[in-house]
Amino acid sequence: MNPWERYVVPNLIACACGTKPIMKQREKVVPKAEGLVLELGCGSGTNFAMYNASKVERLYALEPSPGMLVKARREAGTLGFGNNIEFLETGAEAIPLEDNSVDTAVITFVLCTIPDWRAALAETRRVLKPEGRILFSEHGLAPDEGVAKWQRRIEPVWKPLAGGCHLTRDISALFTESGFRLEEAETMYLPSTPKVAGFVSWGAARAA
């Protein structure tokens, strides 16, 4: 990992993923998590304060970036339920949890950066209990061709500067191709956000 990825990218992502429009998106899904919860790509711990501590038995916070984990552990230390957070320092392509062991998986603004999203969603499906669900809020490919064209143009430059973030992943298609059915799915362009990075989808998904 080069110095840019280790020291600069975590700060850039933490800042970008903590804007007011994105925080409002997180607030739509994170408080609904319950039971044994797995968060893919917890980053700097941005979601931690949004969990309902009375509903979360344990939070498995998965994050492969050492720089992000430093921030996340610091954030966990400020919370009343910080002792119920277990950090998993690894990528989502190989989740170190048993089959059918998780009630809720939380995925917010991270599918854009996971190198092998197919493996990550397959692993998420493996660890979810049969009645478990994914709560998600993600940005991705816009439905308007004019915006999508600019997303495709910008992405090759955007990715290395933004920690591997893809602008052109079709979030609904990612879930359906991975064997999930969407529930309560909604979409919109975020206010005060460039459209190339501001088309978001959110809702819930269960194994089909």
Side-chain angles (χ1 to χ4, degrees):
M1 181 178 292
N2 61 47
W4 173 268
E5 293 173 331
R6 185 173 182 86
Y7 299 109
V8 180
V9 169
N11 290 310
L12 287 177
I13 293 177
C15 181
C17 290
T19 64
K20 186 175 180 178
I22 289 181
M23 293 300 285
K24 285 185 175 295
Q25 286 301 115
R26 296 176 185 275
E27 290 169 0
K28 293 177 181 179
V29 297
V30 176
K32 298 178 181 179
E34 57 187 2
L36 294 172
V37 179
L38 167 67
E39 181 176 339
L40 269 64
C42 72
S44 60
T46 305
N47 287 337
F48 289 173
M50 297 181 192
Y51 285 102
N52 185 335
S54 67
K55 294 166 58 178
V56 175
E57 181 180 344
R58 190 162 191 78
L59 172 61
Y60 296 104
L62 184 148
E63 174 56 51
S65 167
M68 285 294 193
L69 280 172
V70 170
K71 296 177 179 292
R73 287 193 170 97
R74 188 181 304 131
E75 176 66 17
T78 68
L79 302 174
F81 72 105
N83 290 336
N84 287 338
I85 300 176
E86 180 177 336
F87 290 96
L88 306 176
E89 190 172 349
T90 184
E93 296 89 345
I95 300 172
L97 295 174
E98 295 183 358
D99 296 358
N100 307 320
S101 60
V102 170
D103 297 294
T104 311
V106 174
I107 305 177
T108 57
F109 300 97
V110 69
L111 279 179
C112 61
T113 61
I114 296 175
D116 189 347
W117 62 264
R118 290 180 178 84
L121 288 180
E123 277 287 274
T124 302
R125 184 173 180 178
R126 177 185 66 79
V127 302
L128 274 176
K129 295 178 181 178
E131 69 278 12
R133 65 175 179 167
I134 294 174
L135 299 172
F136 70 92
S137 184
E138 292 285 339
H139 79 110
L141 182 66
D144 303 296
E145 183 52 36
V147 178
K149 180 162 57 176
W150 276 105
Q151 288 178 314
R152 289 189 287 269
R153 287 176 177 173
I154 294 171
E155 188 172 83
V157 177
W158 177 278
K159 279 170 55 181
L161 295 176
C165 173
H166 294 73
L167 296 172
T168 59
R169 287 183 172 173
D170 185 333
I171 300 306
S172 294
L174 266 56
F175 283 114
T176 55
E177 288 177 23
S178 300
F180 292 95
R181 69 177 187 278
L182 297 178
E183 300 178 345
E184 311 162 13
E186 299 184 62
T187 63
M188 67 178 288
Y189 284 104
L190 292 177
S192 306
T193 305
K195 284 190 172 182
V196 292
F199 182 73
V200 295
S201 307
W202 73 95
R206 296 183 191 269

